[in-house]
Amino acid sequence: MAVVGFDVGFQNCCIAVVKSGGIETASNEFTDRCTPAVVSFNAKNRTIGNAAKNQMITNTASTVSHFKRLHGRLFQDHSVQAEKASLPYDLVPLNDGKVGVKIPSFFTDSERKSVLDAAKIAGLNCLKLMNDSTAVALNYGIYKEGLPGCDENPKIVAFVDMGHSALQVSVCAFNKGKLKVLSTAFDPYLGGKDFDQKLVEYFCAEFKSKYKMDVKSKARAMLRLTQECEKLKKLMSSNSTDILLNIECFMDDKDVCGKMNRAKFEELCADLIERVMVPLMTAVEQAQVRLQDISAVEIVGGATRIPAVKAQISKFFKRDVSTTLNADEAVARGCALQCA
Ligand code: ATP
Ligand code: MG
C-alpha cells in the first residue's frame, strides 16, 4: 500500500509519495509538481487542475477556484460573506445553513469532514489530516542533520508559510527524533492574493481614468486582470525595473496597457507588508523564546518569494531567512512522512 501526503492549498495542491528510497513529489499530466486547486463543471463531466484552470475564462460561473475558505462553513459566516463578492461563481445557502456553490457541488459538511469526503470520493483511505505548520516542521526535522541530543537544549526554529490566502507561523523545538510545536499564529486573511488585489485595484482605477472603462462591472474582465496581475507580481520578484502589463481585447475589443515596478508595488502594499509582523510577534511571544534563542528561520509558501515579504521576515527576526525546504512542496512532503 502506498502512503501519500497532500497539501490542499488555496491556489495549488501538491502530492508527495513515500518510496523505498525517500519521499518523491508526484507530477501531474503536464509534469508540473503543483496542480491548480480548481474544479470545472460541464453538463456531463468535471475537470480538475490545469484543465479546469483553462476554463476559468470561458466557463466562469461553473469553474470553482479559491474554495478552501468555504469548506463546511455557514453561508452567513462573515468570511464567506466577505469572500462572496470577489468570487466569479455564485454561493448559495444549503438546507442546513452551510454554504454551497451553485453548480453540482460537494461542499456540504464541516471543514475537515468535507476534505475527508473528498478523499473518499477519490477512493483514498485518509490516514490522518494534519495542519500545514506541523507538516512543514516534521519535514524539516526528519532530514536535518546535527540536531541536539534529547538531554541537550533544543534547536529552536521558526517556520513562516505565506501561501495564496494565508500566513502561518510556528515556532518549534527540535531534538534528535523529537519535535515540539511551541506556538502557532496565523493571519488567515493575508496571502499572495491580497497582493494581487492591490494591483487589480490600481489598474482598475488607472483604466477608468485612462480608457473610461468600468472593469469591475465585468466578471470576465476582472478575472483576466487578476490573472495578469498575479503574473506581474511574480515577475516583480525577480526584476526591479518597469514591467509592462498588456491585455489584448480586454473590454469592448479594446487593448489596454499599463506598467508597474517593484518600488511602486511595495508602496501600494505597504499595509500588507506591515501586517506580516503581527503573527510573527504573536508566535514568538507565545513560544516564550527570545529572538536570539531562535537558530533558524525557514520560509515556505509561494508568497514568501515577494522580496519585501522576505525582507520583513528577516527584519523582524534580525537574521537572514533560510530556504532549506522546497517552498511549494514542504507541506505535502511532511504529510507523507507523518504516515510513512
Ligand atoms: P494557502 O497556503 O494560502 O492555502 P497555497 O498553498 O495554494 O495557499 P502557495 O502555492 O504556497 O499557496 O503559494 C501561491 C502564492 O504564491 C500565489 O499567490 C502566487 O502568486 C505566489 N507566488 C508564487 N511564486 C511567486 C513569485 N515568484 N513571486 C511572488 N509570488 C509568488
Ligand atoms: Mg499552502
Side-chain angles (χ1 to χ4, degrees):
M1 186 181 65
V3 171
V4 294
F6 292 91
D7 172 4
V8 182
F10 197 78
Q11 188 179 51
N12 292 302
C13 300
C14 184
I15 304 176
V17 187
V18 179
K19 293 261 171 87
S20 51
I23 306 286
E24 277 180 25
T25 327
S27 39
N28 63 21
E29 68 274 34
F30 297 95
T31 65
D32 292 332
R33 287 141 74 106
C34 280
T35 299
V38 185
V39 186
S40 185
F41 297 90
N42 292 318
K44 285 209 178 118
N45 54 16
R46 72 177 174 217
T47 50
I48 56 170
N50 286 300
K53 192 177 176 194
N54 290 339
Q55 300 203 17
M56 278 176 84
I57 302 292
T58 48
N59 186 21
T60 310
S62 299
T63 301
V64 188
S65 60
H66 304 120
F67 46 78
K68 186 165 141 177
R69 201 172 277 156
L70 307 175
H71 281 277
R73 298 211 179 217
L74 291 175
F75 179 71
Q76 288 304 345
D77 191 317
H78 73 276
S79 63
V80 171
Q81 290 300 317
E83 203 79 357
K84 202 166 152 247
S86 65
L87 296 173
Y89 47 85
D90 285 336
L91 298 182
V92 287
L94 300 171
N95 289 340
D96 60 0
K98 300 255 170 67
V99 60
V101 179
K102 204 176 149 198
I103 40 163
S105 163
F106 41 80
F107 305 142
T108 55
D109 213 342
S110 72
E111 212 162 302
R112 288 171 70 88
K113 184 161 180 299
S114 79
V115 175
L116 291 173
D117 285 349
K120 217 185 272 169
I121 290 168
L124 297 166
N125 170 22
C126 181
L127 298 177
K128 187 174 171 148
L129 266 184
M130 286 175 83
N131 75 42
D132 311 38
S133 335
T134 316
V136 170
L138 192 66
N139 182 12
Y140 178 87
I142 287 191
Y143 287 112
K144 199 72 191 170
E145 300 202 336
L147 289 176
C150 280
D151 45 353
E152 295 172 75
N153 279 341
K155 175 176 172 147
I156 313 283
V157 183
F159 296 92
V160 184
D161 176 355
M162 194 192 248
H164 196 52
S165 64
L167 170 62
Q168 314 186 31
V169 188
S170 63
V171 178
C172 302
F174 291 93
N175 293 92
K176 223 170 253 143
K178 192 172 143 205
L179 151 67
K180 188 167 177 211
V181 181
L182 301 178
S183 67
T184 51
F186 307 87
D187 185 335
Y189 302 104
L190 181 61
K193 84 198 242 310
D194 300 291
F195 288 79
D196 301 343
Q197 200 52 39
K198 290 280 183 186
L199 293 170
V200 168
E201 289 294 334
Y202 174 86
F203 287 111
C204 279
E206 180 171 306
F207 295 163
K208 189 164 231 164
S209 60
K210 198 160 141 189
Y211 304 110
K212 308 276 170 287
M213 276 178 185
D214 181 9
V215 184
K216 290 184 181 173
S217 67
K218 286 270 183 318
R220 191 186 139 117
M222 278 299 274
L223 261 181
R224 285 187 73 196
L225 181 59
T226 307
Q227 288 179 351
E228 291 305 317
C229 285
E230 187 186 4
K231 283 188 208 154
L232 181 67
K233 172 189 72 175
K234 290 184 182 174
L235 285 172
M236 285 191 287
S237 294
S238 44
N239 296 279
S240 54
T241 50
D242 278 357
I243 297 172
L244 297 179
L245 174 120
N246 290 312
I247 313 179
E248 287 176 10
C249 298
F250 184 54
M251 282 176 83
D252 305 324
D253 284 337
K254 278 197 201 125
D255 302 344
V256 292
C257 67
K259 66 176 179 197
M260 182 53 63
N261 61 43
R262 193 192 287 170
K264 191 157 182 185
F265 176 55
E266 289 177 0
E267 248 171 60
L268 288 178
C269 300
D271 60 324
L272 301 180
I273 294 162
E274 200 50 45
R275 273 171 58 194
V276 171
M277 288 295 194
V278 182
L280 301 181
M281 267 190 281
T282 313
V284 170
E285 246 170 56
Q286 287 182 359
Q288 296 186 327
V289 293
R290 294 168 307 171
L291 281 185
Q292 61 264 37
D293 299 330
I294 297 177
S295 44
V297 176
E298 291 285 338
I299 54 168
V300 294
T304 58
R305 295 189 179 111
I306 300 172
V309 168
K310 202 169 158 184
Q312 184 77 325
I313 299 168
S314 175
K315 182 174 138 199
F316 174 80
F317 287 103
K318 300 192 174 68
R319 61 163 58 245
D320 286 342
V321 295
S322 330
T323 47
T324 311
L325 300 167
N326 181 309
D328 300 315
E329 302 172 7
V331 175
R333 287 172 166 265
C335 290
L337 282 167
Q338 168 72 40
C339 299

